[in-house]
Amino acid sequence: MFPLDLFFRNTGIGLTMASAAYLDDTDAEVIDPPKNEMLDVSELVGDLIQHSPKPNMIVSSNVRELLECPVCLVAMYPPIHQCSNGHTICSGCKPRVHNRCPTCRSELGNIRCLALEKVAASLEVPCKFQNFGCLGIHPYYCKLKHESQCQYRPYTCPYAGSECTVAGDIPYLVSHLKDDHKVDMHSGSTFNHRYVKSNPHEVENATWMLTVFSCFGQYFCLHFEAFQLGMAPVYIAFLRFMGDDAEAKNYTYSLEVGGINRKMTWQGIPRSIRDSHRKVRDSYDGLIIQRNMALCFSGGDRKELKLRVTGRIWKEQ
């Protein structure tokens, strides 16, 4: 582990590493980054060596290692705790180790490592999604908020038939859906699909195969499934956009289902796949068909489900 006092000598930061007794406060206020104390790469390095690693970047990497909790291995945020020997631990892991330092086994008590918290406030760090294209550098205590909203953060797999944990950019997910989930892929902005179940009374939570449409240079996911709305079994069809919500609002779609001279229609804006399939379904943001109506549309003896769902997607001008 990189010695903290060596860090102070190398960077010229005159902080005193004295253990400060501090009562644990679960509502502790996060320290805002000092406005005039950010480490400036140009001031520390200069332009003497054009192609060598910049010293401050090496130091920042070592300091980030100091800010990593030894238990969960995640970056620590205030309140950062320490034992009497100076070993640190995050507030989330402190109860998990039964108030014993995981490094030296001494009692942790309620000592805050205020010096390390202030060092963190002086740092600027890259977004963890830099491999996906984010080039931003952010104050340490602003990093989590940025990453929760970063436009480059990967999307999760929109497949609803299983709890798939795959994540990536849109081209990767399209290939994943096609190759791994064997999803039907269609080109065009109109669709006409038929959903059939021989015994609709046994499919309260059935999910039909996802269908992906390619149009306007974008990808859209059509979902159709059965679920319980209160005590009533219903079917729902809805469209999701493979991209961010701001871009999804540029498109509109319509759905129609009918039979025996009756029909139901729905028009709306596709939801981004940033919103989970369950979140969209449970908000009833789509074409909802009660089972009795679905069986009526199916015709015959009302014992077999035969629904034809048509629709189209268009781009708003």
Side-chain angles (χ1 to χ4, degrees):
M1 182 174 288
F2 183 80
L4 195 56
D5 58 340
L6 180 58
F7 161 73
F8 294 143
R9 290 199 298 273
N10 287 346
T11 60
I13 297 177
L15 294 177
T16 303
M17 276 299 292
S19 299
Y22 193 93
L23 292 179
D24 189 8
D25 183 358
T26 56
D27 296 322
E29 182 179 357
V30 174
I31 300 173
D32 291 324
K35 297 184 182 301
N36 300 317
E37 296 180 11
M38 293 298 175
L39 296 179
D40 191 331
V41 174
S42 61
E43 290 180 5
L44 293 175
V45 181
D47 299 320
L48 295 178
I49 302 176
Q50 293 293 327
H51 303 290
S52 298
K54 295 184 177 182
N56 74 296
M57 296 304 290
I58 297 173
V59 171
S60 295
S61 175
N62 288 325
V63 173
R64 286 199 295 274
E65 290 179 11
L66 287 177
L67 288 163
E68 184 179 273
C69 174
V71 178
C72 65
L73 305 181
V74 175
M76 295 185 290
Y77 292 85
I80 298 174
H81 298 277
Q82 70 174 42
C83 72
S84 57
N85 292 320
H87 303 125
T88 56
I89 187 172
C90 74
S91 59
C93 289
K94 184 171 177 278
R96 294 169 54 190
V97 297
H98 307 292
N99 208 37
R100 289 285 175 184
C101 175
T103 304
C104 66
R105 307 306 299 168
S106 63
E107 186 175 355
L108 284 170
N110 290 312
I111 305 174
R112 281 272 292 275
C113 189
L114 299 178
L116 189 56
E117 292 178 6
K118 290 180 179 179
V119 169
S122 72
L123 296 178
E124 290 186 316
V125 291
C127 173
K128 72 177 180 180
F129 302 126
Q130 58 182 341
N131 291 338
F132 288 90
C134 183
L135 302 179
I137 302 295
H138 307 278
Y140 184 82
Y141 291 144
C142 298
K143 181 173 179 284
L144 288 181
K145 181 177 181 181
H146 161 77
E147 289 173 350
S148 69
Q149 304 169 349
C150 180
Q151 63 175 321
Y152 294 99
R153 68 192 189 277
Y155 299 88
T156 56
C157 175
Y159 191 74
S162 64
E163 296 297 327
C164 183
T165 58
V166 169
D169 58 19
I170 298 303
Y172 176 79
L173 287 183
V174 170
S175 298
H176 165 68
L177 288 169
K178 181 180 179 181
D179 299 336
D180 299 330
H181 293 299
K182 311 302 180 185
V183 164
D184 291 333
M185 312 292 289
H186 296 272
S187 297
S189 58
T190 61
F191 45 90
N192 186 335
H193 281 264
R194 184 168 178 162
Y195 299 96
V196 178
K197 282 292 178 182
S198 58
N199 189 346
H201 296 283
E202 297 178 357
V203 292
E204 281 80 2
N205 295 299
T207 299
W208 277 262
M209 181 66 74
L210 176 70
T211 305
V212 174
F213 297 92
S214 172
C215 56
F216 307 108
Q218 306 290 346
Y219 292 92
F220 301 82
C221 300
L222 177 64
H223 298 264
F224 184 81
E225 64 182 84
F227 75 111
Q228 294 288 129
L229 181 56
M231 297 297 294
V234 298
Y235 300 93
I236 184 171
F238 57 88
L239 201 70
R240 286 201 292 167
F241 174 73
M242 295 188 70
D244 281 328
D245 185 63
E247 200 169 0
K249 293 177 180 177
N250 295 323
Y251 301 90
T252 305
Y253 74 102
S254 64
L255 297 173
E256 180 178 304
V257 61
I260 58 171
N261 299 318
R262 295 172 176 83
K263 68 179 180 180
M264 295 176 63
T265 60
W266 162 268
Q267 180 173 309
I269 297 172
R271 296 278 287 273
S272 165
I273 59 171
R274 295 284 189 204
D275 290 334
S276 70
H277 153 267
R278 184 178 297 275
K279 180 178 180 180
V280 179
R281 186 198 70 182
D282 292 349
S283 65
Y284 317 132
D285 193 1
L287 175 64
I288 296 178
I289 314 161
Q290 293 185 348
R291 174 182 287 169
N292 288 339
M293 183 63 70
L295 292 175
C296 179
F297 288 152
S298 300
D301 56 7
R302 298 167 61 93
K303 292 183 179 179
E304 185 178 30
L305 181 71
K306 295 180 181 179
L307 284 180
R308 185 177 297 277
V309 177
T310 61
R312 71 183 184 97
I313 307 165
W314 65 95
K315 188 172 183 179
E316 296 293 346
Q317 301 298 324

